[in-house]
Amino acid sequence: MIQTSRTLDLKTHQLHLRHIYQRDDGQPILMLHGTIENGRIFYNDKDKGLACYLASQGFNVFVLDYRGRGKSRPQIKHNFNHGYHECIVEDIPAAIEYVFKLTGRKMHVICHSWGGILFHSSYTRFEKLQNKVVSAICFGTKRQVLVWNLERLLKVSLFWHRFAPWMAKKSGYLDAVKLGIGAESETYLAVKQSSDWVKPSKWVDSVDGFDYGESAKTTNWPPTWHLTGSKDRVLGHSDDVNLFINESNQNAKFSELSKVNGNMLDYDHINILTDKNAVNDHFPLIKNWLSEH
């Protein structure tokens, strides 16, 4: 397995892509992480994770760190004035164009959690991206969190809607690592924009008013597969995942991974990608689906 770092220079910042492969002429895959994460949700230095598994199967994998996260530079600090709007309109399109030009081939896109929202937003907004993507797979991707339970009350209603914006505004950013709630910090604007979309809301850009929901109705969506775990009770609950399917690509495939459905585990929001059983459980199904498309 070969792992190397590539840098995409966008003048005001540099994006880091982890390039993982055994064959650099294989079908390319771009992977997009979620909130308070970086690309390491998909890989580690010991060649574990979905990115490394798919590279071992002949795919040519690129894992993006959003601006300020992971090995992208500069890292998020006090009063950075970018949010997820910039990720949608600048960074993800730039990463797709970069992989397409480098490999000369259309790519699969694999997303975790909020990464799926950002990708779908970019894809429906920019028609030029639609001839560069073969398929999309999303793990635990929801836009709105409408399910009600105690975990939702604590993690979303109290923390993400109240404490996180307050802390981010007070400190200039949300230091998720210091708080012990994630692998990466988030800017105030990113927290605010994601909090607004997670609430019952229209899929509309808060910066320039672009109506993603309306655009999605006429978008030529690629074959798409949404997966979530039965123990993902809030951050990717099956009801909320299907809610997003209904407002984006209504022809998407949906799977809930659980023992009842024949899987080794009842997966949650994180171990759906990180558990050691995944490599013998649903990772081969992912590989087969990608190969079919």
Side-chain angles (χ1 to χ4, degrees):
M1 190 79 64
I2 299 172
Q3 291 198 34
T4 187
S5 289
R6 292 180 176 271
T7 300
L8 179 54
D9 192 348
L10 298 183
K11 296 183 178 180
T12 60
H13 59 287
Q14 293 180 328
L15 295 178
H16 169 257
L17 292 109
R18 193 66 168 175
H19 188 191
I20 306 173
Y21 62 100
Q22 288 185 335
R23 293 176 45 193
D24 62 3
D25 62 346
Q27 181 78 42
I29 297 175
L30 175 64
M31 295 189 167
L32 304 173
H33 64 81
T35 300
I36 57 175
E37 286 180 354
N38 57 49
R40 285 186 172 272
I41 190 70
F42 296 111
Y43 74 94
N44 64 27
D45 294 334
K46 296 181 179 179
D47 294 337
K48 303 296 184 182
L50 180 60
C52 299
Y53 170 80
L54 291 175
S56 74
Q57 302 300 307
F59 291 95
N60 189 15
V61 184
F62 299 83
V63 185
L64 178 66
D65 289 331
Y66 302 142
R67 69 171 71 183
R69 287 88 163 177
K71 294 185 178 181
S72 293
R73 294 293 182 267
Q75 290 187 309
I76 289 173
K77 56 185 179 182
H78 297 278
N79 299 318
F80 269 33
N81 62 355
H82 60 79
Y84 284 129
H85 170 82
E86 289 77 12
C87 190
I88 291 167
V89 302
E90 297 176 23
D91 295 350
I92 290 177
I96 291 174
E97 295 285 354
Y98 175 83
V99 172
F100 182 75
K101 289 179 180 178
L102 182 68
T103 64
R105 302 181 66 180
K106 297 180 180 181
M107 71 204 72
H108 302 287
V109 178
I110 297 180
C111 312
H112 180 235
S113 194
W114 201 250
I117 302 302
L118 300 179
F119 165 70
H120 278 75
S121 299
S122 292
Y123 188 90
T124 192
R125 182 168 184 145
F126 299 109
E127 189 175 351
K128 65 181 181 179
L129 303 181
Q130 296 173 20
N131 63 353
K132 298 178 174 68
V133 175
V134 179
S135 75
I137 293 178
C138 297
F139 290 90
T141 289
K142 82 293 172 192
R143 187 180 70 79
Q144 302 171 92
V145 177
L146 302 188
V147 64
W148 269 104
N149 53 44
L150 179 60
E151 190 175 350
R152 177 250 161 86
L153 175 65
L154 296 175
K155 291 184 176 180
V156 179
S157 299
L158 296 180
F159 180 79
W160 200 249
H161 290 331
R162 295 177 180 272
F163 178 79
W166 173 80
M167 178 60 73
K169 190 171 185 178
K170 177 183 178 182
S171 303
Y173 71 114
L174 180 68
D175 192 339
V177 177
K178 185 176 180 180
L179 292 171
I181 57 161
E184 290 291 337
S185 298
E186 293 290 342
T187 67
Y188 168 71
L189 282 176
V191 172
K192 181 68 167 57
Q193 289 165 357
S194 62
S195 175
D196 288 345
W197 266 2
V198 161
K199 298 172 184 176
S201 59
K202 290 186 177 181
W203 189 12
V204 175
D205 197 295
S206 63
V207 174
D208 63 9
F210 185 89
D211 193 328
Y212 299 103
E214 191 64 29
S215 178
K217 296 176 182 178
T218 57
T219 294
N220 182 24
W221 293 105
T224 303
W225 187 8
H226 284 268
L227 303 95
T228 197
S230 62
K231 288 187 70 175
D232 193 341
R233 299 187 176 95
V234 174
L235 301 180
H237 191 281
S238 59
D239 289 351
D240 292 330
V241 172
N242 278 289
L243 185 66
F244 180 62
I245 290 173
N246 288 334
E247 68 174 348
S248 55
N249 180 5
Q250 296 182 5
N251 294 319
K253 176 182 177 181
F254 172 76
S255 298
E256 184 179 76
L257 305 184
S258 66
K259 291 180 179 179
V260 170
N261 290 330
N263 299 103
M264 296 180 181
L265 294 177
D266 294 325
Y267 289 94
D268 62 30
H269 196 64
I270 300 299
N271 73 6
I272 195 171
L273 287 173
T274 61
D275 193 275
K276 63 181 181 180
N277 290 291
V279 71
N280 296 313
D281 198 356
H282 50 283
F283 283 6
L285 302 179
I286 297 296
K287 185 263 292 185
N288 292 340
W289 193 87
L290 294 172
S291 298
E292 290 170 3
H293 294 85

